[in-house]
Amino acid sequence: YSYDPEKAKQLLAEAGYPDGFTIKQDGTSATGVTEQMQLEQEYLKAVGINLEFDLVDTPTYNEKRNSGDFDVSGRLLPAVNPDTILFSYLHPDNIAPKGLNGARYNNPELTQKLEAARAETDSAKRLKLYEEVQQIVMNDLPYLPTYASNVYWPSKANIEGIVINKLAQVNFYGVDIK
């Protein structure tokens, strides 16, 4: 999506917010206000949306996020299989506080495609269904994808001690080169 502040102001006015509004974004006091958050704040400010930050301790942040008690919040979910992330964030069975669907997103067409993809054994058909799911999501935009967290895995034959945990991360302390 291109950044178009004038179009955003027009859409806000059409939605009944000609003077903008204020929202709060939850975060943890451990990470503080990041440069990414400040950039988002400036982009929103340009269209009349005042973004304030509410920094709390991690348990409070997780409790608020999991219960759905927030205006704006973030979440990372490492996944190798697209079903893990798409089903977790988009299926109505996972609406918070029951699951990770904090946007409370519920689109019956997308739900049908997610369930079909999950059951599909033909990898080409499954890939096509996930492509369709992602197209629907990028049109509906229940979440605003702002960045990707990259994880690095050592993978040379002369590397030993690699243990990938359940969060798809490597503890490099035990990794060694032969």
Side-chain angles (χ1 to χ4, degrees), residues 26 30 32 34 37 42 44 51-52 55 64 68 75 81 88 97 104 106 120 124 135 138-139 142 150 158 173 175:
D26 290 348
T34 66
M37 292 165 70
E42 290 302 311
L44 291 171
L51 176 62
E52 298 175 348
L55 302 179
K64 289 178 71 177
R75 185 177 306 262
N81 181 338
S88 297
R104 295 175 172 78
N106 186 355
E120 183 57 61
Q135 286 299 317
M138 290 309 292
N139 287 327
N150 295 314
N158 65 333
Y173 182 78
V175 175

Side-chain angles (χ1 to χ4, degrees), residues 63-78:
E63 181 180 312
K64 289 178 71 177
R65 185 183 58 196
N66 292 341
S67 70
D69 181 24
F70 59 85
D71 293 335
V72 177
S73 187
R75 185 177 306 262
L76 292 175
L77 179 65

Side-chain angles (χ1 to χ4, degrees), residues 27-94:
T28 64
S29 51
T31 56
V33 177
T34 66
E35 289 181 1
Q36 173 72 29
M37 292 165 70
Q38 292 172 7
L39 179 64
E40 291 170 11
Q41 184 180 47
E42 290 302 311
Y43 273 100
L44 291 171
K45 183 178 180 181
V47 301
I49 299 173
N50 179 36
L51 176 62
E52 298 175 348
F53 301 112
D54 185 18
L55 302 179
V56 296
D57 61 90
T58 301
T60 301
Y61 173 75
N62 288 335
E63 181 180 312
K64 289 178 71 177
R65 185 183 58 196
N66 292 341
S67 70
D69 181 24
F70 59 85
D71 293 335
V72 177
S73 187
R75 185 177 306 262
L76 292 175
L77 179 65
V80 176
N81 181 338
D83 181 71
T84 303
I85 195 163
L86 296 172
F87 199 86
S88 297
Y89 280 101
L90 303 171
H91 198 281
D93 285 353
N94 294 320

